[in-house]
Amino acid sequence: MAFERTTRRLSMAASLLAGTAMTVAGPAFAQDAADAAQGEADRNVIIVTANKRAQDLQDVPASITALSTETLDQLQVSELQDVVKFLPSVTIQTAAPGFSQVYFRGVASGENANHSASLPTVGTYLDEMPITTIQGALDIHAYDLARVEALAGPQGTLYGASSMAGTIKLVTNQPDYGDNYGAMDVELNSVAHGDIGGTIEGFYNFALSDRAALRVVGWYRKDGGYIDNIAGSRTYPTSGITQDNSEFVEDDYNDVDTYGARVALGIELNDDWTVRPTVMGQVQTAHGSFAQERSTAVNGDLQTVQYNPEYSKDKWLQAALTIEGKIGNWDLVATGGHLWRRDRTDSDYSDYAYFYDALYGYGAYFYDNNYDLVSPNQYIEGGDKYRRYFGEIRVSSPQDAPVRFIGGLFAQRQKHEIEQNYIIDNIADINTVPGTESNIWLTRQDRVDRDYAAFGELSFDITNNLTLTGGARVYRYKNSLVGFFGYARNFSSRTGVSGCFTTDGTPLNQNPTGTLAPPIVDGTPCTNLDKVTSDTDAIYKLNATYTINPDALVYVTWSQGFRPGGINRRGDVDYGPDSLDNYEFGWKTRFGDVTFNGAIYQEDWNDIQLSFLGLNGLTEIRNAGIARIRGVESDLTYRANGLTLSLSGSYNDAKIRRDFCAIANEDFDCTTPANNDLLAPSGTRLPITAKFKGNAIARYEFPLGDWDAHVQGALAHVGKRRSDLRPFENDLKGTFGAYTTFDASIGVKKDNLRFELFATNLFDSRGEINSGEQCLETTCGDPDGISSTGGVFYDVVIKPRIVGIKAGFDF
């Protein structure tokens, strides 16, 4: 029966490595291997596609961690943050669902992920398509994924611009021509100090014929809230107006609803050609904020005081098409796709309004049209639209030949329509940004990032044991930013309308009698930014692999990665690309029931794109210096007689090697020019990433009557981290402390039924993963509290303890 075949396959997968170096093959890549896997040794075969072709993980001379469908389920993974927990070389920094930045091997300078800032250093792929956007990767619900592959180190030769430090691949299960089968899973959970949540998810595989199949997947997840918005009030000094948040007071107000679906069709046109169109989409709605407030107004534990609505809705749809075939004995893959993403956000900005008023008396300037004082309370309504087009065509020679080649052409274009409305209700028309209802500030810009490349890798077997590989990627990027940012003309003489271009090309503040040029971007009063930057260059890779025996190899690699330059929205200074050189020695070994893999590396990061707040609180990016990361990562797994033990970890010593200056120069002299500043001295540790991160997993499977039972425990540790590269800002926000979490589960399964009881973060740790402040940077006051002219600090912490029960069945 169908479910019996499915159960056999899942049972086989479940007995593979339950730790971080574990995956199973998707149907498209591993059907022959699965059918042939009769012996115990074959159950250790782990298929990945890191090199854009199916290979045993142990044969790939690169540092890769992979998590399979079964492993993701066993580790209670539902979103990107859960995945990163068990990837020792990866760190995540998040502000809310859908707004996360991922880092490999400590390559992080404290980017703020602003819409006009640098591209990420890590690329994220959904199957063949890059899905990285400026403000973070898609937060895809983890269900019916064949595996998650984490490729550490520069992946620029095969993966391109935003894979400077590494790549994360989310590989979905493909349609299976073999049979009709499906599954349904449900979960009910409760978060400590919070609300109830749950999940319902399922898939069905339709074998339409022996050459066509359709796979349909759907999910809905409710995450219970755990942050309380408690009662508070404040009086603005200059006006005496008192504000309270009574209408927004709510317990557990940061709940999240996520639902989505995927439909994939697979058609074998003949023995040589296959077509696979896929459509996938998701809607994620988050209420409230996800940070606890660090101030005297709250007790500091999962509480905050917010005075305006806080909300986000992230919607995306991806359509992709992959065609695989043969031309003679060469393989050809042509793939392309289109990603639509749209998010809406509401954010409280009243802290800035209050502290500016307290320090500068800004509230005295806010009147209505009758010249009556209005509350300077400020909030943000944001909306972003993304459109990404992608295409790649590549060919590869027969993989059993002594000389092998893979190469192709790549192109992508991403447009980001940015809209941020900073609103103070009822302000006078003369202070309102033209064309808006009550904006004190408007950002409305169109950003376009374009990337084109030709790439290739050539491998040559010098002997039966020694292989040399060389690769190159020639790339060109062209990025542009156009639109408006700033105040009304009557509110500021420097930014906003005053800086807009007149018909003769000069800004209005330099030509006060001039006529404003027509706006380029719809919804703007005029244009004060219109710039383009581009570059053409190449990056390279060299690798030597020595196969000691079929179960052991060693390799050395030099590889490069890059990140494109871009436009500062102030428009006066652009920033150039930064790059990473990786020198790595690694090993892959399998000794019977034990697998031991690892790598030792040094990475040199040059022309670092450092983001910081400049004049008027605007994000600026400068190429500010160089850094060196030296580290080691390893995983060890033992599996026998139903017992799986795995250990994995990484150590990264990541420091800047020269003084970081606000304005870089060849001598790294922060005293020149006169307006230069020392941002961080040489030897400062890079932020965000701990020196040590590791995890340990133990799983035991055993018979219990007619049922198959299991118990599992998973320990994860993250060391202390700097919150910011710059010492002043790091002292303000504070260092993130080390934390450890422990997860546990017990469960049984029989035939097509399964049940499990689990707990994540069992001891209710408050590990910090992000921090921010709303304050005036030079007068933020005590980071452990607030002052009348200081600010408020916010800490994003990991989820509290979650206890739940899961049930599922195959059919």
Side-chain angles (χ1 to χ4, degrees), residues 98-119:
F99 298 90
S100 299
Q101 296 292 318
V102 178
Y103 305 98
F104 271 88
R105 291 181 172 176
V107 182
S109 63
E111 295 86 350
N112 63 11
N114 182 276
H115 44 70
S116 302
S118 304
L119 286 163

Side-chain angles (χ1 to χ4, degrees), residues 339-361:
L339 173 68
W340 299 263
R341 185 182 186 188
R342 182 171 186 172
D343 62 58
R344 176 197 158 192
T345 58
D346 292 343
S347 306
D348 187 354
Y349 209 55
S350 62
D351 292 335
Y352 273 113
Y354 175 79
F355 291 112
Y356 268 104
D357 188 20
L359 186 63
Y360 296 124

Side-chain angles (χ1 to χ4, degrees), residues 193-428:
H193 321 286
D195 211 345
I196 303 296
T199 303
I200 181 168
E201 52 198 3
F203 79 90
Y204 195 80
N205 188 91
F206 299 88
L208 304 177
S209 71
D210 59 355
R211 288 188 179 271
L214 180 71
R215 196 176 188 95
V216 180
V217 186
W219 59 89
Y220 170 77
R221 187 176 89 237
K222 173 74 171 182
D223 294 309
Y226 50 87
I227 300 288
D228 297 336
N229 191 19
I230 65 174
S233 66
R234 57 168 47 132
T235 299
Y236 290 92
T238 58
S239 65
I241 294 174
T242 298
Q243 176 187 25
D244 69 59
N245 68 339
S246 56
E247 64 177 305
F248 304 112
V249 171
E250 183 182 350
D251 289 342
D252 313 325
Y253 88 134
N254 63 323
D255 57 296
V256 184
D257 290 283
T258 305
Y259 61 89
R262 183 177 83 249
V263 179
L265 178 64
I267 303 174
E268 287 188 354
L269 302 178
N270 54 41
D271 291 340
D272 292 332
W273 291 90
T274 301
V275 177
R276 295 198 307 273
T278 303
V279 177
M280 184 175 182
Q282 182 175 280
V283 177
Q284 188 172 65
T285 303
H287 301 93
S289 63
F290 290 77
Q292 61 185 27
E293 187 171 323
R294 192 197 321 166
S295 75
T296 57
V298 300
N299 66 20
D301 187 29
L302 306 180
Q303 290 186 343
T304 190
V305 182
Q306 300 297 291
Y307 292 87
N308 291 289
E310 296 195 300
Y311 166 92
S312 69
K313 188 169 188 177
D314 184 18
K315 303 188 295 184
W316 56 267
L317 179 69
Q318 182 229 27
L321 175 66
T322 298
I323 301 172
E324 295 182 351
K326 286 186 174 294
I327 301 178
N329 60 353
W330 284 56
D331 295 322
L332 180 144
V333 177
T335 183
H338 191 175
L339 173 68
W340 299 263
R341 185 182 186 188
R342 182 171 186 172
D343 62 58
R344 176 197 158 192
T345 58
D346 292 343
S347 306
D348 187 354
Y349 209 55
S350 62
D351 292 335
Y352 273 113
Y354 175 79
F355 291 112
Y356 268 104
D357 188 20
L359 186 63
Y360 296 124
Y362 275 23
Y365 294 96
F366 296 130
Y367 297 87
D368 61 17
N369 288 328
N370 296 322
Y371 213 64
D372 295 323
L373 281 170
V374 299
S375 171
N377 171 54
Q378 192 171 161
Y379 57 95
I380 306 171
E381 292 182 352
D384 295 85
K385 298 179 182 178
Y386 305 85
R387 300 290 185 271
R388 177 190 285 275
Y389 305 89
F390 148 80
E392 179 176 292
I393 184 168
R394 64 180 184 269
V395 295
S396 56
S397 64
Q399 297 307 299
D400 56 357
V403 179
R404 300 174 297 281
F405 173 80
I406 182 170
L409 301 174
F410 169 91
Q412 68 174 352
R413 181 182 189 272
Q414 176 178 280
K415 182 179 182 182
H416 181 188
E417 299 178 23
I418 305 160
E419 182 177 350
Q420 299 285 315
N421 300 282
Y422 291 71
I423 301 170
I424 299 177
D425 289 331
N426 303 315
I427 57 175

Side-chain angles (χ1 to χ4, degrees), residues 357-615:
D357 188 20
L359 186 63
Y360 296 124
Y362 275 23
Y365 294 96
F366 296 130
Y367 297 87
D368 61 17
N369 288 328
N370 296 322
Y371 213 64
D372 295 323
L373 281 170
V374 299
S375 171
N377 171 54
Q378 192 171 161
Y379 57 95
I380 306 171
E381 292 182 352
D384 295 85
K385 298 179 182 178
Y386 305 85
R387 300 290 185 271
R388 177 190 285 275
Y389 305 89
F390 148 80
E392 179 176 292
I393 184 168
R394 64 180 184 269
V395 295
S396 56
S397 64
Q399 297 307 299
D400 56 357
V403 179
R404 300 174 297 281
F405 173 80
I406 182 170
L409 301 174
F410 169 91
Q412 68 174 352
R413 181 182 189 272
Q414 176 178 280
K415 182 179 182 182
H416 181 188
E417 299 178 23
I418 305 160
E419 182 177 350
Q420 299 285 315
N421 300 282
Y422 291 71
I423 301 170
I424 299 177
D425 289 331
N426 303 315
I427 57 175
D429 292 343
I430 59 171
N431 289 331
T432 300
V433 176
T436 70
E437 184 175 339
S438 199
N439 276 34
I440 189 67
W441 176 285
L442 171 68
T443 298
R444 179 67 181 87
Q445 300 167 340
D446 287 350
R447 171 175 178 166
V448 180
D449 294 85
R450 311 164 186 86
D451 297 284
Y452 314 95
F455 62 91
E457 285 191 359
L458 184 67
S459 298
F460 175 51
D461 294 335
I462 304 295
T463 69
N464 290 334
N465 300 92
L466 179 63
T467 300
L468 298 182
T469 299
R473 189 180 189 95
V474 179
Y475 66 84
R476 175 174 174 77
Y477 69 80
K478 181 180 180 181
N479 301 332
S480 61
L481 188 62
V482 59
F484 174 87
F485 66 98
Y487 299 105
R489 182 178 184 182
N490 294 297
F491 193 81
S492 172
S493 61
R494 294 186 301 171
T495 63
V497 173
S498 296
C500 281
F501 305 127
T502 58
T503 52
D504 68 359
T506 59
L508 186 62
N509 52 22
Q510 296 179 18
N511 182 19
T513 61
T515 301
L516 286 173
I520 297 175
V521 176
D522 292 340
T524 62
C526 49
T527 300
N528 55 17
L529 175 63
D530 186 6
K531 295 202 72 174
V532 177
T533 185
S534 62
D535 191 22
T536 301
D537 208 335
I539 55 176
Y540 304 95
K541 171 184 175 180
L542 292 173
N543 172 272
T545 302
Y546 186 76
T547 303
I548 300 170
N549 58 52
D551 292 323
L553 65 81
V554 293
Y555 67 88
V556 291
T557 295
W558 168 64
S559 57
Q560 293 183 306
F562 81 102
R563 180 168 50 165
I567 310 294
N568 277 303
R569 63 172 165 169
R570 185 179 298 282
D572 51 353
V573 178
D574 299 338
Y575 57 94
D578 54 357
S579 61
L580 196 71
D581 283 88
N582 175 59
Y583 308 90
E584 182 173 328
F585 167 76
W587 62 92
K588 297 285 183 73
T589 63
R590 180 188 291 134
F591 304 102
D593 299 326
V594 177
T595 301
F596 179 45
N597 299 333
I600 301 171
Y601 49 85
Q602 174 177 300
E603 296 187 330
D604 293 331
W605 189 5
N606 300 300
D607 299 319
I608 298 173
Q609 295 176 10
L610 177 69
S611 59
F612 59 95
L613 293 181
L615 293 175

